[in-house]
């Protein structure tokens, strides 16, 4: 199984900050990587697919990059609505696997 | 608009069974693969199972293999998860989600809570 490791686990930031979250795959080069945002008590929301494609309706301050086994999610200017937990997920092969999550907190 | 509504959660004793349902609307259900994803209280997301658009293929997480069965009834626009031999570690909110191929899980339901406890 492909294990996904995110860093950091928690991130404290201020409104307007540039934020970067990293996700690494344990093995093999993957092409199919997604990023989700989850707020407390809510279902996850797809932000990025195929590593760098922005889902329809998602603000352009969100971007994804990377290839092979290392990927990043960047929020160019953190907004109040962005404080949440973010997960990466590989859908290269079954079983699909998620990273452990990165909680973005208010500094 | 796309809507996914889960039901069937509740409190169940270890070793017992439970069946979850997910009713879909707003899209052509029979054309898309469907997944179950769960989240234990205070924990991260865990992918559980997938069924192909035509029901011909299924895959499971190792943690539920041989205990859970995913199925679908396209005449009812409904996805199911039959959960047998439940364990305390199966306690979680269970979400159904739609798969559009390139876009892995683009729509999710609101989730249904399953609590396994004696």
């Amino acid at each position: 199984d492909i294990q996904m490791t995110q860093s950091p686990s928690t991130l404290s930031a201020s409104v307007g900050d540039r934020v970067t979250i990293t996700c690494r795959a344990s093995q093999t080069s993957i092409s199919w990587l997604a990023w989700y945002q989850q707020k407390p008590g809510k279902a996850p929301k797809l932000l990025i697919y195929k590593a760098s494609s922005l889902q329809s309706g998602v603000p352009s301050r969100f971007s994804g990059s990377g290839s092979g086994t290392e990927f990043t999610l960047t929020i160019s200017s953190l907004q109040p609505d962005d404080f949440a937990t973010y997960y990466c997920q590989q859908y290269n092969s079954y079983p699909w696997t998620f990273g452990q999550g990165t909680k973005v907190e208010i500094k | 608009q796309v809507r996914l509504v889960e039901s069937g959660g509740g409190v169940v004793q270890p070793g017992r069974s439970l069946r979850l349902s997910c009713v879909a609307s707003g899209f052509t259900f029979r054309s898309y693969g469907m997944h179950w994803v769960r989240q234990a209280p205070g924990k991260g997301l865990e992918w559980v199972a997938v069924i192909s658009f035509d029901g011909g293929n299924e895959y499971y997480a190792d943690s539920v293999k041989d205990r859970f069965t995913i199925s679908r009834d396209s005449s009812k626009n409904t996805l199911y998860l039959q959960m047998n031999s439940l364990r305390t570690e199966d306690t979680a909110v269970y979400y159904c989600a739609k798969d559009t191929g390139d876009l892995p899980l683009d729509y999710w339901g609101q989730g249904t809570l399953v609590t396994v406890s004696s």
Side-chain angles (χ1 to χ4, degrees), chain A residues 66-85:
Chain A
S67 62
T69 60
E70 187 158 336
F71 302 86
T72 58
L73 172 71
T74 300
I75 310 172
S76 60
S77 178
L78 199 65
Q79 298 302 301
D81 191 48
D82 301 338
F83 291 96
T85 300

Side-chain angles (χ1 to χ4, degrees), chain A residues 1 32 34 36 38 41-46 48-50 55-56 87 89 91 94-100, chain B residues 35 37 39 43-47 50 59-62 95 99 101-111:
Chain A
D1 299 0
W32 304 94
Y36 300 86
Q38 188 180 33
K42 300 293 186 181
K45 172 186 174 183
L46 178 66
I48 301 287
Y49 62 97
K50 279 198 297 185
Q55 168 68 329
S56 176
Y87 295 92
Q89 179 227 341
Y91 55 113
Y94 291 117
W96 287 5
T97 44
F98 289 89
Q100 79 278 16
Chain B
H35 299 251
V37 176
Q39 186 169 37
K43 303 297 184 182
L45 300 169
E46 180 186 16
W47 177 83
V50 60
Y59 296 93
Y60 297 90
D62 288 345
Y95 297 100
D99 180 346
D102 281 7
L103 284 68
L105 300 168
D106 56 347
Y107 287 95
W108 297 62
Q110 84 289 350

Side-chain angles (χ1 to χ4, degrees), chain B residues 37-116:
Chain B
V37 176
R38 68 184 181 182
Q39 186 169 37
K43 303 297 184 182
L45 300 169
E46 180 186 16
W47 177 83
V48 173
V50 60
I51 187 166
S52 60
F53 69 99
D54 60 357
N57 290 290
E58 304 162 24
Y59 296 93
Y60 297 90
D62 288 345
S63 58
V64 307
K65 202 174 295 182
D66 300 326
R67 298 189 300 123
F68 289 12
T69 301
I70 189 171
S71 63
R72 64 192 298 159
D73 184 342
S74 290
S75 69
K76 296 181 179 179
N77 283 359
T78 303
L79 175 73
Y80 301 101
L81 186 67
Q82 178 67 44
M83 305 185 294
N84 298 332
S85 303
L86 282 161
R87 306 168 179 168
T88 55
E89 55 264 36
D90 296 319
T91 293
V93 173
Y94 285 74
Y95 297 100
C96 65
K98 172 179 163 286
D99 180 346
T100 311
D102 281 7
L103 284 68
L105 300 168
D106 56 347
Y107 287 95
W108 297 62
Q110 84 289 350
T112 187
L113 176 62
V114 173
T115 303
V116 184

Side-chain angles (χ1 to χ4, degrees), chain A residues 11-27:
Chain A
L11 188 159
S12 296
S14 301
V15 173
D17 284 353
R18 181 181 182 89
V19 166
T20 298
I21 300 168
T22 298
C23 178
R24 290 186 175 86
S26 63
Q27 61 186 70

